[in-house]
Amino acid sequence: MIPSMVVDLLMQNKINYVKLFSASDNVLEAFSATDIGLEITMPNQSTQKMKTQADVDEWVVQIIVSHPNVHFMYVCIGTQPLSTRFFNQTYPEAIQVLDWTQQALNLMNKSEIKATMSHFTDVLILAKKPSEGAFRKDLEPNITRSCQILQSNNAPIGVVIFPLVNVNDLFNGDTEFAFLENNSTSVFKDGDKTYSNVVEVMYDMFDVALEKVGCPNMTIIIDAIGWPTDGIKDGNIPNAQRFYQGLAKFVASKKGTPRRPGPIDVYIHNLSDENKINKNAGSFMRHWGIYKFDGQPKFNFDLQGLGRDVKLVPAIGITHMPKRWCIFNDRYASDIGKVAYNVFDDQVKYACDTADCTALDPGGSCSNLTYMQRLSYAFNVGFQKAAQSVSNKSCYYNGYGKIVSDDPSTPSCTFPVEILAAEIPNFTGYAQSLAHALKPSSISLMTVVVQTLYISFTLMCTC
């Protein structure tokens, strides 16, 4: 999906503020001369390359100063750089880069643009009551320094809340406590304050922790919050729709939390699924989107929080590849049981190592398939990932695959058809080196509307 399509989708849905995770030149240019306010991200790997103030100055010139017609608002330093829940390492050097970035912005007469940083809730100690909130001792020095830098520049700090993950960690998997309708039996009192959902718990716990390190009354935004739609128990489309509708009403009410009444800025994570996200923390991490890979909305959603049955505007101009699928050739069905299962399992592993097989995971939308259907699903996602290529035998699988024109999907499991690749993000300088390291396959975006619902999302550029 080309960047101009993404911008059109935003404008059609009246989304006026966006966060970019991959600030490539052609993506930034697509936002040029629009009224859309941007928060851009300096990726974790880029913060490692920043050894001096001069390095950061060069990055700011390349990404911000060289795009004068783009409405920049924030620069987010790293992606949860102190978190280990979803990443294999931490990036403490991001704290110094945070300071250098704001200095660079100030020096270049861009002081209205604020450098900021956000953290997943795993930076907190394990506690169930907000009043017990505190940062982990090993992270406390870096958290303290970062919040002091932000405070001195009147910049917000972000907290990342994934309710389904949080209730599994702290509230015995009480999924109802993750919703905001306040119907859970896990409701509890903390002093004179009542907590009826995990979102308010985690927000106030983060607030208490900031106060304990000498950073009270900071502006706290929920930098990412969402509900996965596949690959995990209770991660499905109906639950996601229910959660987002409740979240939109919560934000629109401007009631805030028991400790911090008033409006809260919230980023929804995210617009579209991402098929190349590292799945070490769980394959469900690829399926946070309110849109499918092809830019079609998964469900109706009133972004204004008024509870209306509103359809999101779909992406326009997306082209699918031919309607054909690769499945297990049932001519060899009798081989199942005769040939060692590991022969077939090796074929599944081969396909799923490069393609997205999240739906086959326990709790996933395709987890109830028969063994032969599971083989077909894996064969097909590998075939689609290879752009349905016949020349490189992408449906060969040791002779067990065959191409069909009849859709093998079941009522609960969709066998996907790939979309045509359109445009590869154009990276330069530091961004180019990062692109080489990560081999990005998507344009990642997060939308923001001040004191209302922010939406984080990703639209695929299958490259």
Side-chain angles (χ1 to χ4, degrees), residues 28-199:
L28 290 175
E29 284 302 316
F31 288 94
S32 182
T34 72
D35 291 330
I36 297 175
L38 298 186
E39 176 180 339
I40 61 171
T41 304
M42 181 188 293
N44 289 329
Q45 289 86 348
S46 287
T47 65
Q48 291 183 306
K49 300 177 184 294
M50 305 298 169
K51 305 300 183 183
T52 66
Q53 177 72 60
D55 291 336
V56 176
D57 292 348
E58 182 180 349
W59 188 91
V60 170
V61 168
Q62 278 192 352
I63 303 298
I64 296 178
V65 177
S66 63
H67 296 93
N69 295 322
V70 176
H71 180 200
F72 295 103
M73 297 174 62
Y74 297 105
V75 179
C76 188
I77 306 303
T79 301
Q80 303 154 47
L82 301 181
S83 175
T84 55
R85 180 61 182 264
F86 306 117
F87 304 99
N88 294 326
Q89 67 179 95
T90 60
Y91 300 85
E93 56 275 350
I95 308 303
Q96 179 59 61
V97 175
L98 175 67
D99 192 22
W100 283 338
T101 303
Q102 191 62 62
Q103 290 185 46
L105 292 167
N106 294 345
L107 182 65
M108 298 175 196
N109 297 317
K110 300 287 186 181
S111 59
E112 74 280 4
I113 303 172
K114 300 299 181 182
T116 186
M117 184 174 285
S118 63
H119 305 285
F120 181 57
T121 51
D122 67 338
V123 300
L124 300 167
I125 63 171
L126 289 176
K128 290 189 176 181
K129 293 184 177 181
S131 60
E132 299 170 351
F135 293 114
R136 288 165 31 200
K137 288 298 181 184
D138 60 316
L139 299 179
E140 195 171 289
N142 280 326
I143 294 281
T144 301
R145 186 177 175 218
S146 67
C147 75
Q148 290 172 344
I149 294 169
L150 295 170
Q151 271 195 324
S152 65
N153 290 287
N154 196 31
I157 191 169
V159 60
V160 175
I161 301 173
F162 294 148
L164 194 55
V165 175
N166 293 130
V167 294
N168 286 334
D169 287 348
L170 299 176
F171 294 95
N172 301 315
D174 179 7
T175 300
E176 189 62 37
F177 198 59
F179 296 104
L180 289 114
E181 290 95 337
N182 307 328
N183 296 327
S184 171
T185 57
S186 296
V187 174
F188 66 90
K189 291 188 71 69
D190 186 11
D192 61 348
K193 297 174 175 58
T194 301
Y195 289 89
S196 54
N197 63 77
V198 76
V199 177

Side-chain angles (χ1 to χ4, degrees), residues 50 54 62 117 152 174 206 222 240 273 276 290 301 343:
M50 305 298 169
Q62 278 192 352
M117 184 174 285
S152 65
D174 179 7
F206 193 76
I222 298 180
D273 293 343
K276 280 196 174 182
I290 60 176
F301 181 21
V343 172

Side-chain angles (χ1 to χ4, degrees), residues 256-431:
T257 68
R259 271 185 63 89
R260 298 288 292 269
I264 300 175
D265 293 341
V266 177
Y267 294 78
I268 294 180
H269 182 77
N270 57 17
L271 181 69
S272 173
D273 293 343
E274 298 178 275
N275 65 1
K276 280 196 174 182
I277 288 289
N278 189 310
K279 58 183 180 181
N280 289 344
S283 298
F284 70 91
M285 293 298 292
R286 296 178 170 186
H287 292 270
W288 295 95
I290 60 176
Y291 279 77
K292 300 176 183 177
F293 290 120
D294 60 1
Q296 296 299 309
K298 294 180 181 178
F299 46 78
N300 291 354
F301 181 21
D302 182 7
L303 299 177
Q304 302 303 314
L306 302 178
R308 299 168 298 177
D309 188 30
V310 177
K311 292 183 178 179
L312 295 170
V313 178
I316 298 172
I318 299 296
T319 302
H320 284 86
M321 299 197 75
K323 290 186 177 181
R324 56 181 185 172
W325 296 262
C326 175
I327 65 171
F328 180 81
N329 192 335
D330 55 8
R331 195 171 85 187
Y332 300 106
S334 60
D335 286 3
I336 298 178
K338 294 179 182 178
V339 180
Y341 274 95
N342 66 297
V343 172
F344 298 114
D345 291 342
D346 284 347
Q347 298 304 309
V348 171
K349 184 178 186 304
Y350 173 76
C352 295
D353 277 348
T354 57
D356 180 28
C357 293
T358 302
L360 295 177
D361 288 353
S365 58
C366 300
S367 59
N368 61 347
L369 297 180
T370 66
Y371 187 75
M372 189 184 302
Q373 287 174 319
R374 289 177 66 86
L375 289 173
S376 292
Y377 185 90
F379 286 8
N380 182 63
V381 293
F383 176 63
Q384 302 297 338
K385 178 69 168 53
Q388 300 186 2
S389 173
V390 177
S391 61
N392 68 2
K393 298 183 178 180
S394 62
C395 188
Y396 181 63
Y397 297 108
N398 281 351
Y400 287 107
K402 74 172 181 179
I403 297 173
V404 299
S405 58
D406 293 329
D407 188 349
S409 299
T410 72
S412 63
C413 175
T414 299
F415 281 55
V417 172
E418 185 61 275
I419 61 174
L420 288 174
E423 182 173 343
I424 299 175
N426 176 26
F427 293 88
T428 58
Y430 285 115

Side-chain angles (χ1 to χ4, degrees), residues 217-271:
N217 304 316
M218 285 195 70
T219 298
I220 304 171
I221 61 175
I222 298 180
D223 199 45
I225 187 170
W227 196 283
T229 57
D230 212 341
I232 189 174
K233 180 180 178 295
D234 295 324
N236 54 56
I237 288 176
N239 278 349
Q241 182 180 30
R242 177 189 169 193
F243 173 76
Y244 287 128
Q245 294 285 31
L247 178 66
K249 290 179 182 179
F250 170 78
V251 175
S253 74
K254 300 184 179 182
K255 74 170 188 175
T257 68
R259 271 185 63 89
R260 298 288 292 269
I264 300 175
D265 293 341
V266 177
Y267 294 78
I268 294 180
H269 182 77
N270 57 17
L271 181 69

